[in-house]
Amino acid sequence: MNFIDIVIIIGVLFIAAFAVEFGLTKLLNIPIREKRYINDQHKQRYKQFIFTFGIALLIIFTLYILGQIIIFIPITLIMLYPIASSIVDMVMELKYDRESRRYIISISNIIVYVAFLVILFTTDFFGLL
């Protein structure tokens, strides 16, 4: 599996998530968020998530370089970023901005990402491994 294959797989994942988000936004008349963060609490939690995820990614890549783990674990960790990011957004939207119904978009994104990961691993990365 080379770098181009990974980029194509990740691109298809984000296109699928965008299509679901766009469709649900139009279907359910959910307003588009004007700002990235709901409030300062959301911004702080997201920064904590980015820091923790970055440290985990650094540790996993270090172990991979040392030959302690196999290839699919770093790829999986990279693919788990959108899932974890959507979970952070969903929790903050449910807690602080329930009336906008944006949490429905976050839940649908989580479902798309998890389904895509399941499909990737059941098909051995679409036959690339």
Side-chain angles (χ1 to χ4, degrees):
M1 176 182 298
N2 58 24
F3 181 72
I4 299 296
D5 295 334
I6 294 171
V7 170
I8 290 171
I9 289 171
I10 291 173
V12 169
L13 170 67
F14 286 115
I15 289 170
F18 175 75
V20 169
E21 181 174 340
F22 182 76
L24 283 176
T25 301
K26 295 297 180 190
L27 182 69
L28 300 175
N29 292 329
I30 297 174
I32 297 173
R33 190 184 319 160
E34 293 151 9
K35 294 187 285 183
R36 170 66 178 104
Y37 305 107
I38 297 169
N39 56 19
D40 289 335
Q41 181 82 12
H42 186 198
K43 188 175 186 176
Q44 181 183 22
R45 295 293 175 240
Y46 201 77
K47 284 181 181 178
Q48 290 171 350
F49 160 71
I50 293 291
F51 179 76
T52 305
F53 194 82
I55 295 296
L57 193 63
L58 185 65
I59 290 170
I60 294 294
F61 277 147
T62 302
L63 291 174
Y64 172 68
I65 289 171
L66 295 175
Q68 300 295 319
I69 56 176
I70 56 178
I71 183 78
F72 71 86
I73 293 176
I75 293 171
T76 304
L77 191 59
I78 291 169
M79 298 293 279
L80 287 178
Y81 173 80
I83 295 171
S85 175
S86 293
I87 290 172
V88 170
D89 288 342
M90 179 195 64
V91 168
M92 297 309 274
E93 288 163 350
L94 277 171
K95 190 172 183 179
Y96 295 111
D97 196 22
R98 190 174 269 257
E99 55 275 346
S100 74
R101 299 181 319 179
R102 286 288 305 172
Y103 61 90
I104 297 170
I105 301 292
S106 296
I107 292 170
S108 68
N109 281 340
I110 293 168
I111 292 169
V112 168
Y113 296 141
V114 169
F116 198 80
L117 277 177
V118 168
I119 291 169
L120 273 179
F121 286 113
T122 57
T123 62
D124 287 330
F125 288 88
F126 299 116
L128 295 173
L129 286 180

